[in-house]
Amino acid sequence: MSLRSLLFAPGDSDKKMAKASDSGADCVILDLEDSVAASRKPIAREMVREFLKAGTNPNVEFWVRCNPLDGPYVLHDIAAVAAAAPKGIILPKTNGAEDIVTVARFLDVLEAEHGLAAGSIGILPVATETAAAPFGLGSYNKHTPRLRGLTWGAEDLGAAVGASSNLEANGQWTSPFVLVRALCLFAAHAAGVQAVDTVMADFRDLAGLERVCNEARRDGFTGKIAIHPAQVPVINQAFSPSDAEVAHARAVLDLFAANPDAGTLQLDGKMIDKPHEVQAQRIIAMAERLKAR
Ligand code: COA
Ligand code: MG
């Protein structure tokens, strides 16, 4: 499963849900949370369920973002959409693994009720949106088999702590957000799941998007969330290994295979050892995941 590009579409817009399905995104996130007004939540739940049932594009994984656990909507959201078998639930404003366990219990019941395979609906938390959330990031490596990835959010966290901005004048994240971005990255890898970078709100700045995608990929994120279809091709390109990267990774693995007793070797005049082999395996795994789509 590849969480490379994930495009949000408001759950009360049939037009955007349909357009998102044809955008080239690996995953479409049908949103019931912040992009849907309170008065529209009930209709949005029905629209998302019907949209999922229609199964518009078999090449796309459809996820649903429900409302947070501390509000009045979440049970209705999950109960409404589970029967239509979404790929997973994006759970906002989580504080740690306990929140995953709670939603997993709801899903256990609903999967049984609707005759779905046990454990088939995944969970991807937005794991940095409350002031307490950064302290729970280390807990996701506990036994939470539905966990598919971790992502982080800057807008709600900024509001939670009264930050007047989350960006420096040059467009870089301010230091509190640099910190949680890195913690999310490490927490995801500690839990053995994919790290997914947060949205870039300025959806017209595609050159800036390419830069932040390249930085995220360099740092170990495997994908990024989009809010506008124009962002999808940029994200797909940045998070796909290039032919040159795949060729280099194969050369590294071939060299280690040919020298099974060597701990360290040289390739094109550069020292390579265990971390390079691990990274090469990662690149090949990523390329194969994308090819399997
Ligand atoms: N999914 C599908 N289609 C989208 C889209 C999205 N996320 N965002 C824009 N589009 C469509 C528009 O409907 C429009 O379609 P049209 O040409 O057929 O009329 C086209 O893409 C161009 O859109 P544009 O005019 O550039 O933007 P907009 O002003 O219509 O929309 C937003 C801007 C921010 C409102 C819109 O991108 C959006 O709704 N994004 C998702 C928001 C969301 O879900 N947020 C929650 C997570 S943070
Ligand atoms: Mg939000």
Side-chain angles (χ1 to χ4, degrees):
M1 193 204 48
S2 149
L3 297 171
R4 181 182 53 168
S5 52
L6 306 85
L7 174 60
F8 264 113
D12 64 343
S13 168
D14 274 327
K15 182 186 149 190
K16 282 183 185 165
M17 290 194 285
K19 216 173 161 106
S21 310
D22 295 332
S23 66
D26 299 335
C27 308
V28 169
I29 308 173
L30 308 171
D31 188 30
L32 296 174
E33 199 211 5
D34 289 344
S35 71
V36 178
S39 62
R40 302 268 299 164
K41 302 269 187 207
I43 178 85
R45 278 181 206 120
E46 303 309 312
M47 291 172 71
V48 166
R49 182 177 57 203
E50 293 313 309
F51 189 81
L52 284 168
K53 277 197 200 154
T56 40
N57 187 340
N59 298 318
V60 175
E61 291 185 357
F62 290 97
W63 290 68
V64 176
R65 182 169 71 171
C66 64
N67 284 278
L69 281 170
D70 64 355
Y73 305 116
V74 59
L75 274 177
H76 301 280
D77 294 343
I78 296 178
V81 302
K87 192 74 187 176
I89 298 293
I90 309 272
L91 186 61
K93 303 182 178 71
T94 55
N95 290 316
E98 275 179 21
D99 292 342
I100 308 302
V101 172
T102 300
V103 169
R105 294 233 166 91
F106 302 163
L107 293 172
D108 289 344
V109 175
L110 290 163
E111 284 167 349
E113 179 182 343
H114 298 296
L116 302 171
S120 55
I121 302 178
I123 302 175
L124 196 167
V126 191
T128 69
E129 290 187 308
T130 72
F135 303 102
L137 281 167
S139 67
Y140 291 101
N141 65 353
K142 303 275 158 40
H143 184 65
T144 44
R146 288 182 192 268
L147 194 71
R148 300 286 189 270
L150 281 190
T151 190
W152 68 288
E155 305 305 327
D156 288 278
L157 181 59
V161 302
S164 57
S165 174
N166 50 31
L167 296 174
E168 303 280 4
N170 66 5
Q172 305 277 4
W173 296 114
T174 58
S175 58
F177 298 91
V178 170
L179 174 74
V180 294
R181 173 185 179 278
L183 289 175
C184 175
L185 172 72
F186 295 130
H189 288 284
V193 296
Q194 295 178 56
V196 178
D197 197 21
T198 194
V199 300
M200 178 161 152
D202 182 359
F203 57 84
R204 304 267 180 241
D205 180 10
L206 297 181
L209 178 66
E210 185 181 358
R211 180 175 46 76
V212 298
C213 285
N214 289 336
E215 289 168 1
R217 164 100 196 280
R218 173 202 66 196
D219 292 346
F221 287 92
T222 47
K224 189 172 177 73
I225 300 182
I227 50 162
H228 191 284
Q231 295 180 315
V232 170
V234 178
I235 293 174
N236 281 346
Q237 164 86 33
F239 288 96
S240 303
S242 67
D243 292 345
E245 280 175 285
V246 172
H248 178 76
R250 283 204 200 289
V252 169
L253 295 184
D254 288 349
L255 196 59
F256 276 105
N259 298 276
D261 297 323
T264 178
L265 290 158
Q266 73 99 4
L267 181 63
D268 303 330
K270 292 206 182 83
M271 189 273 287
I272 57 169
D273 58 7
K274 191 70 193 170
H276 299 91
E277 187 182 11
V278 170
Q279 182 60 9
Q281 285 162 340
R282 242 183 231 291
I283 297 281
I284 298 300
M286 201 192 292
E288 276 167 9
R289 223 168 31 226
L290 294 172
K291 207 165 70 188
R293 285 182 49 77

